[in-house]
């Protein structure tokens, strides 16, 4: 058996790129931004905008078996100014819509929105005169969680997705240019 | 029974036998004249003790198939209950678009919101009552339950109703000054869909304005385009805390309209699931009560119990919040293996934990301090149209499961807990005890659970899957039932069960097709919440919070 000779000398390559490996070059603002995102992800303050059946499911999520604490999002705050993640769970009617909008507007950025359940996503089973067909017509939504009501597992998966998005700096409510500028 | 015959005679003498009929035992119909309506109502209330107004329901006769007998476009049905004899009467009155009805708020305080709803939904005016919307928003145009209203037409709202609007204040004779506090639907105490505006003088409440309709999803309009079985999932979402009870109430109403008898096993199972749902509802209401009154950990104790019972629903049908477990003519399917055992175990463990919880709360001085507030007198409760635990907390022994037993409620042993003052503490105690009684019912039913096939009604229940695969006839039957749905003969019915919050009634009108012509829910929360402003007047704001949670308002059912 002939010995296979490596086509490239790895040791050499490592030497070549050593500088890049040990030294991180970035803008100061970039570093701060990275730190900011990390901290945001680990302490999300949630505003639960629950109106109906989905709210009940959301409530039981923080019950015994499934803990929202694992998600790092167990701090629910019922004041929009102090929260950065809005969870819309339940049917939003035309009458409710301006209130939801004002809650979203009161939240200070950066802010994210999860639409939980079929009703919040698209009006769900209610295609009627009084129900808003999806909250995305009122406020920007980052993550949709399907289900009527979504199972606890789905909600947890939704939260994980949300966190991933936050880490990557993706945010629906803010246009890409403004993200750049803000950095 | 003798008394009821006498009463019928008395009414017959007054109204004449052409106008008054007994269409089912203990359920009468009176066709009234528009001119003499007020007179008839005062006779019924003052001389015949029809003292609890259950519901006012409008119907638009525009597209009735068999033609409109009265020749008038609208009909209004008043459902009134005689609490002593347990007789329900439906007063029917026909009127045209231009005509208006007399307002009956002088006789029954609780009529106000119902009348507002009729105007909102049908555009029928009541004399002396302004045009005030209740379920739809203030910029809405049109009357959604009219048959010529397009169900998909949406009118967006530009801005929420201002805080204590000027014209409403003028209407109610409220003072211009004073400090108004807004409790928005996004406030945790309002559970997402109520708005309470309070006028304060120091810490005391001077006036309260209520705004509802934030969860008005158009259930009744939706029903007009759906099969009878397709409606079941929507009934889940009325009172989502005890969804199974809504399923049962709906199916029972349809079955009574079709005059079909379901199997013994189905009846027993409905009782079991109904009681489990009642327990869950009470647990949620007690838990939120504990949380909102300052014992946040209390919520977790109650929710943990709820979780245990939810598991029973999940193992039966896969979901716990919205189970949709009944079908017209029976249940969706039979129990899984070992379910009865699980259920009995759970019942035992919950019973045990209830004792602990009761020790924890019932004797606690601060809990008593906080909850011995806002008493309600029995006569006021009747006047407002209270039913269920809130009525029983005022000391009135009225439970549909006892007074007009359906299924096997006549055969099981249980007690009806009563309060005396009707304050928050009494409501708490009544709910605690009702949980125990419900658990008692469940064990009794499960001990004697009838065996045999579950869904046996011919032409209504789906044939068994195993038959469908083998037999051509069964396959055809299956197909036609799925495709066309059940046909229900023309007629109307008001059927009620004891829901977790009170009398949950369904009024159905059918014109012979496979979709109902009109469906009206009698939501127990509606009269309860209406009384809120009067109960809390003159009390402290924190007491108002306690009262609000003790009434257990479920917005899904309140606004439909
Ligand atoms: S999605 Fe389903 S469970 Fe959630 S609020 Fe809507 S109807 Fe209720």
């Amino acid at each position: 058996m002939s010995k296979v000779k490596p086509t490239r000398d790895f040791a050499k390559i490592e030497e070549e790129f050593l500088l890049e490996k040990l030294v991180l070059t970035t803008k100061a603002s970039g570093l701060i931004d990275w730190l900011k995102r990390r901290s945001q992800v680990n302490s999300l303050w949630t505003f639960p905008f629950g109106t109906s059946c989905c709210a009940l499911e959301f409530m039981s999520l923080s019950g015994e078996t499934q803990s929202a604490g694992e998600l790092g999002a167990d701090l629910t705050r019922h004041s929009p100014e102090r929260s950065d993640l809005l969870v819309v769970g339940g049917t939003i009617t035309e009458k409710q819509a301006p209130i939801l909008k004002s809650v979203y507007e009161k939240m200070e950025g950066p802010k994210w929105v999860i639409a939980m359940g079929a009703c919040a996503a698209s009006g769900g089973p209610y295609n009627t005169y009084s129900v808003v067909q999806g909250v995305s017509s009122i406020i920007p939504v980052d993550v949709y969680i399907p289900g009527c009501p979504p199972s606890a597992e789905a909600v947890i998966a939704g939260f994980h997705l949300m966190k991933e998005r936050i880490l990557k700096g993706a945010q629906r409510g803010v246009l890409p240019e403004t993200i750049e500028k803000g950095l | 029974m003798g008394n009821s015959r006498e009463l019928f005679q008395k009414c017959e003498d007054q109204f004449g036998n052409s106008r008054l009929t007994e269409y089912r035992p203990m359920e009468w119909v009176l066709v009234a004249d528009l001119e003499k309506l007020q007179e008839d109502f005062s006779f019924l209330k003052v001389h015949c003790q029809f003292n609890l107004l259950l519901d006012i329901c409008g119907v638009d006769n525009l597209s009735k198939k068999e033609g409109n007998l009265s020749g008038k476009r609208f009909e209004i049905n008043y459902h009134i209950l005689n609490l002593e004899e347990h007789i329900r009467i439906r007063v029917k009155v026909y009127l045209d678009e231009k005509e208006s009805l007399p307002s009956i708020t002088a006789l029954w305080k609780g009529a106000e919101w119902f009348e507002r709803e009729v105007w909102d939904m049908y555009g029928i005016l009541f004399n002396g009552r302004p045009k005030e919307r209740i379920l739809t928003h203030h910029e809405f145009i049109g009357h959604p339950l009219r048959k010529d209203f397009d169900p998909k037409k949406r009118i967006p709202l530009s801005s929420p109703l201002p805080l204590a609007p000027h014209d409403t204040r003028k209407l109610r004779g409220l003072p211009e000054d004073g400090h108004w506090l807004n409790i928005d639907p996004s406030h945790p105490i309002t559970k997402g869909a109520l708005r309470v505006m309070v006028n304060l003088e120091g810490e005391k409440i001077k006036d309260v304005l209520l705004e509802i309709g934030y969860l008005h999803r158009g259930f009744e309009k939706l029903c007009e385009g759906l099969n009878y079985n397709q409606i079941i999932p929507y009934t889940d979402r009325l009172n989502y805390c005890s969804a199974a009870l809504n399923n049962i109430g709906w199916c029972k109403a349809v079955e009574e309209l079709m005059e079909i008898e379901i199997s013994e096993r189905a009846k027993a199972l409905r009782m079991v699931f109904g009681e489990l749902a009642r327990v869950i509802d009470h647990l949620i209401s007690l838990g939120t009560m504990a949380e909102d009154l300052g014992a946040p950990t209390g919520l977790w104790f109650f929710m943990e119990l709820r979780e245990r019972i939810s598991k029973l629903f999940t193992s039966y049908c896969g979901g716990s919040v919205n189970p949709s477990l009944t079908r017209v003519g029976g249940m969706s399917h039979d129990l899984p293996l070992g379910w009865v055992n699980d259920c009995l175990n759970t019942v035992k463990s919950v019973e045990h934990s209830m004792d602990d919880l009761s020790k924890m709360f019932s004797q606690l001085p601060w809990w008593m301090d906080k909850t011995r507030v806002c008493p309600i007198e029995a006569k006021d409760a009747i006047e407002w149209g209270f039913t269920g635990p809130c009525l029983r907390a005022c000391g009135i022994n009225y439970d549909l499961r006892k007074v007009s037993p359906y299924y096997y409620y006549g055969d099981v042993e249980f007690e009806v807990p009563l309060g005396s003052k009707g304050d928050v503490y009494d409501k708490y105690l009544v709910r605690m005890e009702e949980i125990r009684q419900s658990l008692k019912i469940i064990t009794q039913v499960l001990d004697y659970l009838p065996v045999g096939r579950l869904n046996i009604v011919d032409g209504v229940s789906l044939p068994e899957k195993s038959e469908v695969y083998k037999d051509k006839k069964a396959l055809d039957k299956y197909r036609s039932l799925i495709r066309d749905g059940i046909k229900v003969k023309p007629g109307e019915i008001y059927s009620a069960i004891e829901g977790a919050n009170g009398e949950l009634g369904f009024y159905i009108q059918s014109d012979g097709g496979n979709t109902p012509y009109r469906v009206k829910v009698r939501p127990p929360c509606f009269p309860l919440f209406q009384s809120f402003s009067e109960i809390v007047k003159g009390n402290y704001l924190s007491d108002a919070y306690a009262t609000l949670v003790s009434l257990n308002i479920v917005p899904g059912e309140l606004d439909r």
Side-chain angles (χ1 to χ4, degrees), chain A residues 65 91 93 95 125 128-130, chain B residues 154 212 214 216-217 234 307:
Chain A
T65 47
T91 322
T93 57
K95 202 171 186 172
T128 57
Y129 56 91
S130 57
Chain B
R154 274 177 279 275
I212 63 167
Y214 289 100
H216 176 59
R217 312 194 261 200
Y234 286 95
E307 196 94 337

Side-chain angles (χ1 to χ4, degrees), chain A residues 50-53 57 59-60 62 65 78 91 93-96 98-99 125-131 133 148-149, chain B residues 134 136 144 151-154 156 160 185 192 211-212 214-217 222 234 237 240 300 303 306-307 321-322:
Chain A
T51 59
S52 49
C53 358
E57 190 63 42
M59 205 162 100
S60 61
S62 31
T65 47
H78 282 275
T91 322
T93 57
E94 297 288 359
K95 202 171 186 172
Q96 186 88 273
I99 296 172
Y126 295 97
N127 188 1
T128 57
Y129 56 91
S130 57
V131 177
Q133 302 296 298
C148 181
Chain B
I134 180 161
T136 55
K152 302 219 169 87
K153 183 176 145 198
R154 274 177 279 275
E211 179 73 12
I212 63 167
Y214 289 100
L215 201 53
H216 176 59
R217 312 194 261 200
L222 261 173
Y234 286 95
R237 287 151 180 81
Y240 31 78
W300 307 126
M303 289 307 262
R306 175 195 168 238
E307 196 94 337
V321 176
N322 297 327

Side-chain angles (χ1 to χ4, degrees), chain B residues 253-264:
Chain B
V254 178
E255 282 150 11
E256 279 174 15
L257 182 59
M258 298 174 79
E259 291 172 356
I260 53 178
E261 186 79 5
I262 60 170
S263 68
E264 285 178 355

Side-chain angles (χ1 to χ4, degrees), chain B residues 445-514:
Chain B
V445 178
L446 286 181
D447 281 349
Y448 293 96
L449 194 64
V451 288
R453 274 186 63 187
L454 191 61
N455 300 334
I456 48 162
V457 188
D458 199 33
V460 175
S461 315
L462 290 175
E464 297 258 332
K465 269 279 164 65
S466 55
E467 282 171 38
V468 173
Y469 288 134
K470 279 186 246 145
D471 187 4
K472 175 89 177 27
K473 241 191 224 158
L475 178 66
D476 286 346
K477 207 162 118 190
Y478 192 91
R479 265 200 204 138
S480 81
L481 271 176
I482 293 286
R483 195 181 48 217
D484 309 329
I486 303 160
K487 284 230 160 36
V488 175
K489 66 177 174 25
E492 56 180 332
I493 194 131
Y494 175 85
S495 159
I497 63 162
E498 183 68 35
N501 263 338
E503 173 165 335
L504 172 71
F506 283 97
Y507 172 74
I508 309 175
Q509 250 192 32
S510 156
D511 62 351
N514 50 7

Side-chain angles (χ1 to χ4, degrees), chain B residues 261-286:
Chain B
E261 186 79 5
I262 60 170
S263 68
E264 285 178 355
R265 191 172 169 83
K267 281 183 194 168
L269 285 189
R270 281 188 187 180
M271 277 174 75
V272 173
F273 282 111
E275 293 309 317
L276 285 176
R278 190 187 315 281
V279 173
I280 289 190
D281 192 294
H282 285 351
L283 285 174
I284 294 176
S285 114
L286 291 171

Side-chain angles (χ1 to χ4, degrees), chain B residues 398-418:
Chain B
Y398 187 79
D399 187 326
L400 275 175
R401 295 172 295 170
K402 268 275 189 262
V403 298
S404 42
Y406 47 95
Y407 301 147
Y408 299 119
Y409 280 112
D411 303 332
V412 288
E413 237 175 70
F414 69 102
E415 274 153 38
V416 180
L418 295 178

